Amino acid sequence: YSGSGEIVENLKFGASDGALSDQFGISIDTVEGGPGEGIYALVGATRGDRDAAYLFQNKFDTVGWQQKQKLTASDASDSFGNSVSIASGSDGIYMLVADQGHGGPAVAAGAAYLFHSKSGEPFYVDSAAPVNQKWQTKITASDSAPFDTFGSSVAIVSGTDAVYMLVASVQTNGSTGAAYLFHSKSSEPFYVDS
């Protein structure tokens, strides 16, 4: 925004390993980080056998936007990254990445993956990383059925003592649709279906 009522484009960026047909930007979310962290952007790219979500950070310094991590899941389908959401909490950054085509409990039943980076520690990275740096939790619906597309859209918010996640499933119940709420108190194990 220029201050004169005009909105001005000031940057175009992509993935460090971008290629044709990546669909980088199919989903995007931003959040302000903690003191001195600036802004984070989480961008989904559903692209065949290389699906991913990319985390970028801008600390408002001379460096500008930098790619911090590429998030993947070892059992993801080709829709991993179709929806993304990011939240900043007192204990770090939480990232929720949907995979509406995931075939875990049933064909295209869908899933969502939670990634978490604690403040001051390395970011959680792709599935080739050590066990303690893989995605933290995979979320599925308790009543999964074929072609539910659980994860058609996602949202995450971090409160003072808990993290809340909403995951939509637009094809559930004959396309009636549903939204599922999950949460975790910071002192308890992660995420139980509500």
Side-chain angles (χ1 to χ4, degrees):
Y1 179 70
S2 67
S4 62
E6 181 183 3
I7 297 175
V8 179
E9 176 187 320
N10 68 4
L11 182 66
K12 176 182 177 181
F13 61 90
S16 59
D17 60 350
L20 289 175
S21 302
D22 278 358
Q23 297 185 336
F24 178 87
I26 193 141
S27 57
I28 191 165
D29 195 18
T30 59
V31 69
E32 184 175 356
E37 293 182 353
I39 292 178
Y40 293 96
L42 186 61
V43 184
T46 57
R47 54 187 198 173
D49 60 351
R50 299 194 309 144
D51 311 282
Y54 295 84
L55 179 68
F56 296 84
Q57 184 181 24
N58 186 348
K59 292 185 177 181
F60 302 111
D61 54 19
T62 56
V63 177
W65 287 98
Q66 285 189 305
Q67 182 177 312
K68 302 299 290 186
Q69 283 302 341
K70 175 183 176 181
L71 307 175
T72 64
S74 57
D75 63 346
S77 80
D78 61 4
S79 63
F80 181 87
N82 66 269
S83 182
V84 298
S85 187
I86 185 170
S88 177
S90 59
D91 59 345
I93 299 294
Y94 293 90
M95 295 159 281
L96 190 60
V97 181
D99 180 3
Q100 67 180 359
H102 184 272
V107 176
Y113 297 79
L114 175 71
F115 298 82
H116 176 218
S117 172
K118 292 185 178 178
S119 299
E121 295 183 5
F123 282 96
Y124 284 82
V125 295
D126 65 34
S127 55
V131 172
N132 66 341
Q133 291 185 336
K134 292 182 182 179
W135 45 267
Q136 187 157 353
T137 301
K138 180 168 73 174
I139 303 162
T140 57
S142 57
D143 59 351
S144 291
F147 305 105
D148 272 357
T149 64
F150 178 85
S152 46
S153 60
V154 295
I156 187 169
V157 64
S158 178
T160 54
D161 63 349
V163 175
Y164 298 89
M165 294 169 289
L166 276 172
V167 182
S169 180
V170 297
Q171 298 296 329
T172 297
N173 300 325
S175 297
T176 301
Y180 297 78
L181 174 66
F182 302 83
H183 89 282
S184 172
K185 293 184 179 177
S186 56
S187 61
E188 295 178 357
F190 270 100
Y191 310 120
V192 178
D193 186 332
S194 60

